[in-house]
mmCIF file of all heavy atoms in Angstrom:
data_model
loop_
_atom_site.group_PDB
_atom_site.id
_atom_site.type_symbol
_atom_site.label_atom_id
_atom_site.label_comp_id
_atom_site.label_asym_id
_atom_site.label_seq_id
_atom_site.Cartn_x
_atom_site.Cartn_y
_atom_site.Cartn_z
ATOM 1 N N GLN A 1 -9.582 4.775 -37.998
ATOM 2 C CA GLN A 1 -9.018 5.377 -36.761
ATOM 3 C C GLN A 1 -9.484 4.626 -35.529
ATOM 4 O O GLN A 1 -8.723 4.328 -34.627
ATOM 5 C CB GLN A 1 -9.435 6.828 -36.667
ATOM 6 C CG GLN A 1 -8.724 7.602 -35.588
ATOM 7 C CD GLN A 1 -7.380 8.142 -36.009
ATOM 8 O OE1 GLN A 1 -6.753 7.559 -36.888
ATOM 9 N NE2 GLN A 1 -6.916 9.182 -35.393
ATOM 10 N N LEU A 2 -10.755 4.231 -35.517
ATOM 11 C CA LEU A 2 -11.289 3.474 -34.397
ATOM 12 C C LEU A 2 -10.675 2.078 -34.314
ATOM 13 O O LEU A 2 -10.415 1.578 -33.203
ATOM 14 C CB LEU A 2 -12.812 3.340 -34.490
ATOM 15 C CG LEU A 2 -13.599 4.664 -34.424
ATOM 16 C CD1 LEU A 2 -15.093 4.375 -34.588
ATOM 17 C CD2 LEU A 2 -13.355 5.363 -33.081
ATOM 18 N N ASP A 3 -10.395 1.490 -35.451
ATOM 19 C CA ASP A 3 -9.708 0.192 -35.455
ATOM 20 C C ASP A 3 -8.312 0.300 -34.872
ATOM 21 O O ASP A 3 -7.829 -0.647 -34.192
ATOM 22 C CB ASP A 3 -9.622 -0.357 -36.878
ATOM 23 C CG ASP A 3 -10.990 -0.767 -37.443
ATOM 24 O OD1 ASP A 3 -11.927 -0.944 -36.629
ATOM 25 O OD2 ASP A 3 -11.080 -0.896 -38.653
ATOM 26 N N MET A 4 -7.695 1.437 -35.076
ATOM 27 C CA MET A 4 -6.348 1.648 -34.469
ATOM 28 C C MET A 4 -6.435 1.738 -32.948
ATOM 29 O O MET A 4 -5.598 1.204 -32.217
ATOM 30 C CB MET A 4 -5.681 2.922 -35.038
ATOM 31 C CG MET A 4 -5.365 2.794 -36.537
ATOM 32 S SD MET A 4 -4.762 4.366 -37.247
ATOM 33 C CE MET A 4 -3.215 4.573 -36.387
ATOM 34 N N VAL A 5 -7.479 2.402 -32.462
ATOM 35 C CA VAL A 5 -7.711 2.483 -31.009
ATOM 36 C C VAL A 5 -7.896 1.066 -30.442
ATOM 37 O O VAL A 5 -7.279 0.687 -29.445
ATOM 38 C CB VAL A 5 -8.923 3.336 -30.689
ATOM 39 C CG1 VAL A 5 -9.283 3.233 -29.195
ATOM 40 C CG2 VAL A 5 -8.667 4.787 -31.088
ATOM 41 N N ALA A 6 -8.758 0.290 -31.107
ATOM 42 C CA ALA A 6 -9.050 -1.066 -30.675
ATOM 43 C C ALA A 6 -7.813 -1.936 -30.691
ATOM 44 O O ALA A 6 -7.611 -2.799 -29.847
ATOM 45 C CB ALA A 6 -10.150 -1.671 -31.475
ATOM 46 N N SER A 7 -6.959 -1.721 -31.682
ATOM 47 C CA SER A 7 -5.749 -2.506 -31.779
ATOM 48 C C SER A 7 -4.772 -2.210 -30.634
ATOM 49 O O SER A 7 -4.145 -3.106 -30.054
ATOM 50 C CB SER A 7 -5.047 -2.207 -33.121
ATOM 51 O OG SER A 7 -3.827 -2.880 -33.228
ATOM 52 N N ILE A 8 -4.696 -0.941 -30.257
ATOM 53 C CA ILE A 8 -3.842 -0.577 -29.094
ATOM 54 C C ILE A 8 -4.402 -1.106 -27.836
ATOM 55 O O ILE A 8 -3.663 -1.643 -26.957
ATOM 56 C CB ILE A 8 -3.659 0.968 -29.049
ATOM 57 C CG1 ILE A 8 -2.868 1.464 -30.240
ATOM 58 C CG2 ILE A 8 -2.980 1.382 -27.747
ATOM 59 C CD1 ILE A 8 -2.871 2.974 -30.371
ATOM 60 N N ALA A 9 -5.719 -0.984 -27.644
ATOM 61 C CA ALA A 9 -6.349 -1.516 -26.465
ATOM 62 C C ALA A 9 -6.168 -3.010 -26.367
ATOM 63 O O ALA A 9 -5.951 -3.557 -25.261
ATOM 64 C CB ALA A 9 -7.858 -1.179 -26.458
ATOM 65 N N GLY A 10 -6.202 -3.685 -27.501
ATOM 66 C CA GLY A 10 -5.967 -5.155 -27.542
ATOM 67 C C GLY A 10 -7.056 -5.945 -26.874
ATOM 68 O O GLY A 10 -8.135 -5.417 -26.533
ATOM 69 N N THR A 11 -6.730 -7.165 -26.688
ATOM 70 C CA THR A 11 -7.701 -8.106 -26.078
ATOM 71 C C THR A 11 -7.426 -8.342 -24.626
ATOM 72 O O THR A 11 -8.163 -9.092 -23.946
ATOM 73 C CB THR A 11 -7.684 -9.456 -26.821
ATOM 74 O OG1 THR A 11 -6.340 -9.975 -26.779
ATOM 75 C CG2 THR A 11 -8.107 -9.264 -28.291
ATOM 76 N N LYS A 12 -6.371 -7.765 -24.062
ATOM 77 C CA LYS A 12 -6.066 -7.965 -22.635
ATOM 78 C C LYS A 12 -6.924 -6.990 -21.815
ATOM 79 O O LYS A 12 -7.854 -6.391 -22.311
ATOM 80 C CB LYS A 12 -4.604 -7.829 -22.333
ATOM 81 C CG LYS A 12 -4.009 -6.452 -22.578
ATOM 82 C CD LYS A 12 -2.532 -6.496 -22.168
ATOM 83 C CE LYS A 12 -1.895 -5.115 -22.160
ATOM 84 N NZ LYS A 12 -0.528 -5.102 -21.671
ATOM 85 N N ASP A 13 -6.590 -6.873 -20.577
ATOM 86 C CA ASP A 13 -7.397 -6.031 -19.661
ATOM 87 C C ASP A 13 -7.504 -4.615 -20.192
ATOM 88 O O ASP A 13 -6.553 -4.067 -20.786
ATOM 89 C CB ASP A 13 -6.786 -6.020 -18.271
ATOM 90 C CG ASP A 13 -6.917 -7.371 -17.586
ATOM 91 O OD1 ASP A 13 -7.804 -8.142 -17.982
ATOM 92 O OD2 ASP A 13 -6.145 -7.609 -16.641
ATOM 93 N N PRO A 14 -8.650 -3.923 -19.957
ATOM 94 C CA PRO A 14 -8.755 -2.522 -20.320
ATOM 95 C C PRO A 14 -7.679 -1.721 -19.644
ATOM 96 O O PRO A 14 -7.071 -2.125 -18.642
ATOM 97 C CB PRO A 14 -10.170 -2.175 -19.821
ATOM 98 C CG PRO A 14 -10.894 -3.454 -19.835
ATOM 99 C CD PRO A 14 -9.897 -4.479 -19.445
ATOM 100 N N ILE A 15 -7.479 -0.505 -20.135
ATOM 101 C CA ILE A 15 -6.321 0.284 -19.633
ATOM 102 C C ILE A 15 -6.558 0.888 -18.267
ATOM 103 O O ILE A 15 -5.627 1.369 -17.641
ATOM 104 C CB ILE A 15 -5.957 1.397 -20.657
ATOM 105 C CG1 ILE A 15 -7.046 2.425 -20.802
ATOM 106 C CG2 ILE A 15 -5.569 0.798 -21.990
ATOM 107 C CD1 ILE A 15 -6.669 3.565 -21.742
ATOM 108 N N LEU A 16 -7.816 0.892 -17.784
ATOM 109 C CA LEU A 16 -8.083 1.339 -16.419
ATOM 110 C C LEU A 16 -8.501 0.163 -15.576
ATOM 111 O O LEU A 16 -9.165 -0.746 -16.025
ATOM 112 C CB LEU A 16 -9.225 2.353 -16.443
ATOM 113 C CG LEU A 16 -9.077 3.630 -17.195
ATOM 114 C CD1 LEU A 16 -10.278 4.536 -16.959
ATOM 115 C CD2 LEU A 16 -7.807 4.341 -16.880
ATOM 116 N N SER A 17 -8.113 0.190 -14.305
ATOM 117 C CA SER A 17 -8.581 -0.849 -13.369
ATOM 118 C C SER A 17 -8.590 -0.244 -11.949
ATOM 119 O O SER A 17 -7.845 0.660 -11.635
ATOM 120 C CB SER A 17 -7.652 -2.074 -13.375
ATOM 121 O OG SER A 17 -6.295 -1.716 -13.067
ATOM 122 N N ILE A 18 -9.531 -0.733 -11.128
ATOM 123 C CA ILE A 18 -9.594 -0.347 -9.741
ATOM 124 C C ILE A 18 -9.241 -1.582 -8.908
ATOM 125 O O ILE A 18 -9.853 -2.620 -9.012
ATOM 126 C CB ILE A 18 -11.011 0.164 -9.373
ATOM 127 C CG1 ILE A 18 -11.307 1.460 -10.089
ATOM 128 C CG2 ILE A 18 -11.109 0.394 -7.840
ATOM 129 C CD1 ILE A 18 -12.675 2.010 -9.813
ATOM 130 N N HIS A 19 -8.245 -1.406 -8.066
ATOM 131 C CA HIS A 19 -7.827 -2.480 -7.187
ATOM 132 C C HIS A 19 -8.430 -2.234 -5.804
ATOM 133 O O HIS A 19 -8.015 -1.321 -5.087
ATOM 134 C CB HIS A 19 -6.307 -2.547 -7.058
ATOM 135 C CG HIS A 19 -5.619 -2.895 -8.344
ATOM 136 N ND1 HIS A 19 -5.156 -4.158 -8.626
ATOM 137 C CD2 HIS A 19 -5.322 -2.118 -9.422
ATOM 138 C CE1 HIS A 19 -4.587 -4.151 -9.817
ATOM 139 N NE2 HIS A 19 -4.671 -2.929 -10.326
ATOM 140 N N PRO A 20 -9.436 -3.041 -5.416
ATOM 141 C CA PRO A 20 -10.040 -2.857 -4.077
ATOM 142 C C PRO A 20 -9.024 -3.136 -2.971
ATOM 143 O O PRO A 20 -8.064 -3.919 -3.175
ATOM 144 C CB PRO A 20 -11.177 -3.898 -4.086
ATOM 145 C CG PRO A 20 -11.432 -4.228 -5.500
ATOM 146 C CD PRO A 20 -10.089 -4.107 -6.176
ATOM 147 N N PHE A 21 -9.236 -2.485 -1.844
ATOM 148 C CA PHE A 21 -8.302 -2.721 -0.688
ATOM 149 C C PHE A 21 -8.502 -4.117 -0.154
ATOM 150 O O PHE A 21 -9.658 -4.554 0.097
ATOM 151 C CB PHE A 21 -8.559 -1.639 0.361
ATOM 152 C CG PHE A 21 -8.253 -0.244 -0.109
ATOM 153 C CD1 PHE A 21 -9.239 0.677 -0.192
ATOM 154 C CD2 PHE A 21 -6.969 0.074 -0.493
ATOM 155 C CE1 PHE A 21 -8.938 1.992 -0.615
ATOM 156 C CE2 PHE A 21 -6.659 1.340 -0.918
ATOM 157 C CZ PHE A 21 -7.702 2.293 -1.010
ATOM 158 N N LYS A 22 -7.377 -4.809 0.059
ATOM 159 C CA LYS A 22 -7.429 -6.212 0.516
ATOM 160 C C LYS A 22 -6.855 -6.392 1.909
ATOM 161 O O LYS A 22 -7.348 -7.220 2.701
ATOM 162 C CB LYS A 22 -6.593 -7.082 -0.457
ATOM 163 C CG LYS A 22 -7.123 -7.135 -1.850
ATOM 164 C CD LYS A 22 -6.238 -8.016 -2.752
ATOM 165 C CE LYS A 22 -6.777 -8.121 -4.159
ATOM 166 N NZ LYS A 22 -5.897 -8.966 -5.028
ATOM 167 N N VAL A 23 -5.814 -5.635 2.273
ATOM 168 C CA VAL A 23 -5.165 -5.822 3.555
ATOM 169 C C VAL A 23 -6.087 -5.295 4.657
ATOM 170 O O VAL A 23 -6.599 -4.201 4.583
ATOM 171 C CB VAL A 23 -3.823 -5.070 3.591
ATOM 172 C CG1 VAL A 23 -3.223 -5.106 5.012
ATOM 173 C CG2 VAL A 23 -2.874 -5.703 2.569
ATOM 174 N N LYS A 24 -6.330 -6.154 5.684
ATOM 175 C CA LYS A 24 -7.195 -5.777 6.757
ATOM 176 C C LYS A 24 -6.501 -5.691 8.112
ATOM 177 O O LYS A 24 -7.093 -5.176 9.062
ATOM 178 C CB LYS A 24 -8.323 -6.817 6.858
ATOM 179 C CG LYS A 24 -9.193 -6.934 5.605
ATOM 180 C CD LYS A 24 -9.882 -5.647 5.288
ATOM 181 C CE LYS A 24 -10.763 -5.774 4.043
ATOM 182 N NZ LYS A 24 -11.372 -4.477 3.672
ATOM 183 N N ASP A 25 -5.268 -6.193 8.204
ATOM 184 C CA ASP A 25 -4.601 -6.189 9.476
ATOM 185 C C ASP A 25 -3.098 -5.997 9.323
ATOM 186 O O ASP A 25 -2.571 -6.205 8.218
ATOM 187 C CB ASP A 25 -4.848 -7.490 10.235
ATOM 188 C CG ASP A 25 -4.371 -8.704 9.490
ATOM 189 O OD1 ASP A 25 -3.189 -9.028 9.607
ATOM 190 O OD2 ASP A 25 -5.155 -9.298 8.703
ATOM 191 N N CYS A 26 -2.440 -5.600 10.392
ATOM 192 C CA CYS A 26 -1.033 -5.306 10.349
ATOM 193 C C CYS A 26 -0.363 -5.518 11.697
ATOM 194 O O CYS A 26 -1.001 -5.330 12.730
ATOM 195 C CB CYS A 26 -0.845 -3.816 9.919
ATOM 196 S SG CYS A 26 0.883 -3.213 9.992
ATOM 197 N N THR A 27 0.901 -5.949 11.679
ATOM 198 C CA THR A 27 1.708 -6.018 12.906
ATOM 199 C C THR A 27 2.769 -4.938 12.810
ATOM 200 O O THR A 27 3.463 -4.808 11.774
ATOM 201 C CB THR A 27 2.375 -7.405 13.059
ATOM 202 O OG1 THR A 27 1.346 -8.400 13.214
ATOM 203 C CG2 THR A 27 3.300 -7.420 14.252
ATOM 204 N N ILE A 28 2.904 -4.156 13.866
ATOM 205 C CA ILE A 28 3.893 -3.097 13.924
ATOM 206 C C ILE A 28 5.025 -3.535 14.879
ATOM 207 O O ILE A 28 4.787 -3.898 16.028
ATOM 208 C CB ILE A 28 3.312 -1.770 14.393
ATOM 209 C CG1 ILE A 28 2.230 -1.304 13.451
ATOM 210 C CG2 ILE A 28 4.388 -0.733 14.554
ATOM 211 C CD1 ILE A 28 1.490 -0.056 13.897
ATOM 212 N N LEU A 29 6.260 -3.496 14.394
ATOM 213 C CA LEU A 29 7.439 -3.792 15.174
ATOM 214 C C LEU A 29 8.190 -2.476 15.438
ATOM 215 O O LEU A 29 8.618 -1.787 14.492
ATOM 216 C CB LEU A 29 8.352 -4.762 14.438
ATOM 217 C CG LEU A 29 7.709 -6.068 13.927
ATOM 218 C CD1 LEU A 29 8.735 -6.971 13.264
ATOM 219 C CD2 LEU A 29 7.008 -6.807 15.049
ATOM 220 N N VAL A 30 8.280 -2.102 16.704
ATOM 221 C CA VAL A 30 8.917 -0.868 17.094
ATOM 222 C C VAL A 30 10.348 -1.174 17.515
ATOM 223 O O VAL A 30 10.584 -1.824 18.541
ATOM 224 C CB VAL A 30 8.150 -0.169 18.247
ATOM 225 C CG1 VAL A 30 8.813 1.149 18.584
ATOM 226 C CG2 VAL A 30 6.729 0.048 17.862
ATOM 227 N N THR A 31 11.312 -0.678 16.738
ATOM 228 C CA THR A 31 12.728 -0.909 17.087
ATOM 229 C C THR A 31 13.208 0.195 18.016
ATOM 230 O O THR A 31 12.475 1.150 18.281
ATOM 231 C CB THR A 31 13.560 -0.967 15.814
ATOM 232 O OG1 THR A 31 13.533 0.310 15.163
ATOM 233 C CG2 THR A 31 13.063 -2.024 14.846
ATOM 234 N N GLY A 32 14.401 0.043 18.486
ATOM 235 C CA GLY A 32 15.004 1.050 19.350
ATOM 236 C C GLY A 32 15.059 0.586 20.794
ATOM 237 O O GLY A 32 14.011 0.376 21.436
ATOM 238 N N ASN A 33 16.270 0.402 21.344
ATOM 239 C CA ASN A 33 16.420 -0.030 22.738
ATOM 240 C C ASN A 33 15.832 1.021 23.680
ATOM 241 O O ASN A 33 15.334 0.667 24.780
ATOM 242 C CB ASN A 33 17.915 -0.232 23.065
ATOM 243 C CG ASN A 33 18.463 -1.481 22.377
ATOM 244 O OD1 ASN A 33 17.697 -2.422 22.100
ATOM 245 N ND2 ASN A 33 19.763 -1.497 22.129
ATOM 246 N N GLU A 34 15.925 2.291 23.305
ATOM 247 C CA GLU A 34 15.444 3.358 24.180
ATOM 248 C C GLU A 34 13.917 3.269 24.386
ATOM 249 O O GLU A 34 13.400 3.601 25.444
ATOM 250 C CB GLU A 34 15.827 4.732 23.624
ATOM 251 C CG GLU A 34 15.149 5.119 22.311
ATOM 252 C CD GLU A 34 15.837 4.531 21.067
ATOM 253 O OE1 GLU A 34 16.631 3.571 21.218
ATOM 254 O OE2 GLU A 34 15.513 5.032 19.963
ATOM 255 N N VAL A 35 13.237 2.746 23.348
ATOM 256 C CA VAL A 35 11.787 2.584 23.483
ATOM 257 C C VAL A 35 11.481 1.299 24.280
ATOM 258 O O VAL A 35 10.646 1.285 25.155
ATOM 259 C CB VAL A 35 11.118 2.457 22.095
ATOM 260 C CG1 VAL A 35 9.612 2.188 22.235
ATOM 261 C CG2 VAL A 35 11.340 3.745 21.299
ATOM 262 N N GLN A 36 12.216 0.222 23.978
ATOM 263 C CA GLN A 36 12.015 -1.027 24.665
ATOM 264 C C GLN A 36 12.255 -0.925 26.175
ATOM 265 O O GLN A 36 11.559 -1.536 26.985
ATOM 266 C CB GLN A 36 12.904 -2.115 24.053
ATOM 267 C CG GLN A 36 12.670 -3.523 24.617
ATOM 268 C CD GLN A 36 13.667 -4.517 24.060
ATOM 269 O OE1 GLN A 36 14.859 -4.241 24.021
ATOM 270 N NE2 GLN A 36 13.157 -5.679 23.647
ATOM 271 N N LYS A 37 13.258 -0.085 26.530
ATOM 272 C CA LYS A 37 13.590 0.072 27.915
ATOM 273 C C LYS A 37 12.753 1.118 28.633
ATOM 274 O O LYS A 37 12.926 1.400 29.825
ATOM 275 C CB LYS A 37 15.074 0.460 28.069
ATOM 276 C CG LYS A 37 16.018 -0.682 27.624
ATOM 277 C CD LYS A 37 17.473 -0.217 27.687
ATOM 278 C CE LYS A 37 18.404 -1.348 27.229
ATOM 279 N NZ LYS A 37 19.833 -0.914 27.255
ATOM 280 N N GLY A 38 11.862 1.767 27.875
ATOM 281 C CA GLY A 38 10.985 2.760 28.497
ATOM 282 C C GLY A 38 11.636 4.120 28.703
ATOM 283 O O GLY A 38 11.091 4.936 29.490
ATOM 284 N N LEU A 39 12.792 4.342 28.109
ATOM 285 C CA LEU A 39 13.477 5.621 28.296
ATOM 286 C C LEU A 39 12.748 6.749 27.591
ATOM 287 O O LEU A 39 12.810 7.924 28.005
ATOM 288 C CB LEU A 39 14.922 5.516 27.804
ATOM 289 C CG LEU A 39 15.774 4.473 28.468
ATOM 290 C CD1 LEU A 39 17.170 4.426 27.850
ATOM 291 C CD2 LEU A 39 15.901 4.788 29.972
ATOM 292 N N ILE A 40 12.105 6.422 26.440
ATOM 293 C CA ILE A 40 11.271 7.390 25.749
ATOM 294 C C ILE A 40 9.970 6.752 25.373
ATOM 295 O O ILE A 40 9.858 5.505 25.300
ATOM 296 C CB ILE A 40 11.959 7.960 24.475
ATOM 297 C CG1 ILE A 40 12.182 6.827 23.427
ATOM 298 C CG2 ILE A 40 13.275 8.633 24.801
ATOM 299 C CD1 ILE A 40 12.611 7.369 22.058
ATOM 300 N N GLU A 41 8.973 7.550 25.115
ATOM 301 C CA GLU A 41 7.676 7.028 24.732
ATOM 302 C C GLU A 41 7.630 6.657 23.280
ATOM 303 O O GLU A 41 8.254 7.322 22.416
ATOM 304 C CB GLU A 41 6.629 8.107 25.020
ATOM 305 C CG GLU A 41 5.172 7.658 24.699
ATOM 306 C CD GLU A 41 4.191 8.789 24.876
ATOM 307 O OE1 GLU A 41 4.607 9.884 25.337
ATOM 308 O OE2 GLU A 41 2.983 8.583 24.574
ATOM 309 N N ASP A 42 6.950 5.580 22.979
ATOM 310 C CA ASP A 42 6.740 5.197 21.575
ATOM 311 C C ASP A 42 5.651 6.103 20.946
ATOM 312 O O ASP A 42 4.460 5.966 21.238
ATOM 313 C CB ASP A 42 6.306 3.746 21.486
ATOM 314 C CG ASP A 42 5.814 3.379 20.100
ATOM 315 O OD1 ASP A 42 6.291 3.973 19.103
ATOM 316 O OD2 ASP A 42 4.931 2.470 19.981
ATOM 317 N N THR A 43 6.072 7.022 20.114
ATOM 318 C CA THR A 43 5.104 7.866 19.404
ATOM 319 C C THR A 43 4.997 7.479 17.935
ATOM 320 O O THR A 43 4.123 8.017 17.249
ATOM 321 C CB THR A 43 5.536 9.347 19.492
ATOM 322 O OG1 THR A 43 6.846 9.472 18.962
ATOM 323 C CG2 THR A 43 5.533 9.831 20.918
ATOM 324 N N PHE A 44 5.849 6.582 17.487
ATOM 325 C CA PHE A 44 5.877 6.185 16.082
ATOM 326 C C PHE A 44 4.672 5.316 15.733
ATOM 327 O O PHE A 44 4.019 5.554 14.725
ATOM 328 C CB PHE A 44 7.162 5.422 15.813
ATOM 329 C CG PHE A 44 7.661 5.525 14.377
ATOM 330 C CD1 PHE A 44 9.014 5.495 14.096
ATOM 331 C CD2 PHE A 44 6.771 5.615 13.323
ATOM 332 C CE1 PHE A 44 9.480 5.571 12.801
ATOM 333 C CE2 PHE A 44 7.211 5.718 12.005
ATOM 334 C CZ PHE A 44 8.577 5.696 11.755
ATOM 335 N N SER A 45 4.411 4.297 16.555
ATOM 336 C CA SER A 45 3.358 3.344 16.181
ATOM 337 C C SER A 45 1.981 3.996 16.050
ATOM 338 O O SER A 45 1.194 3.631 15.233
ATOM 339 C CB SER A 45 3.313 2.191 17.169
ATOM 340 O OG SER A 45 3.053 2.629 18.487
ATOM 341 N N LYS A 46 1.728 5.033 16.888
ATOM 342 C CA LYS A 46 0.429 5.723 16.824
ATOM 343 C C LYS A 46 0.260 6.392 15.455
ATOM 344 O O LYS A 46 -0.875 6.393 14.906
ATOM 345 C CB LYS A 46 0.353 6.795 17.922
ATOM 346 C CG LYS A 46 -0.976 7.559 17.959
ATOM 347 C CD LYS A 46 -2.168 6.649 18.198
ATOM 348 C CE LYS A 46 -3.433 7.452 18.540
ATOM 349 N NZ LYS A 46 -3.849 8.389 17.463
ATOM 350 N N VAL A 47 1.331 6.979 14.928
ATOM 351 C CA VAL A 47 1.253 7.626 13.622
ATOM 352 C C VAL A 47 0.870 6.597 12.568
ATOM 353 O O VAL A 47 0.014 6.824 11.722
ATOM 354 C CB VAL A 47 2.601 8.273 13.252
ATOM 355 C CG1 VAL A 47 2.587 8.786 11.835
ATOM 356 C CG2 VAL A 47 2.882 9.461 14.220
#
């Protein structure tokens, strides 16, 4: 039975993995002419 477990697990990566966070920065593009022209406040980018 244990050999069957090992066979399913195989020789590739274990079935669990933790992916550390990599992205450290972002650019936000706010669309909408009404925002660009100052007709309404940009509340989207803050969220």
Side-chain angles (χ1 to χ4, degrees):
Q1 190 84 334
L2 296 178
D3 290 342
M4 293 174 67
V5 172
S7 176
I8 293 171
T11 57
K12 65 177 188 176
D13 291 337
I15 64 177
L16 302 184
S17 58
I18 294 178
H19 296 260
F21 296 117
K22 297 179 178 179
V23 173
K24 300 299 181 184
D25 60 86
C26 173
T27 296
I28 299 176
L29 308 181
V30 182
T31 64
N33 288 335
E34 67 278 15
V35 177
Q36 187 184 45
K37 294 177 181 179
L39 301 177
I40 65 170
E41 181 185 357
D42 168 30
T43 57
F44 207 148
S45 59
K46 180 62 167 60
V47 172

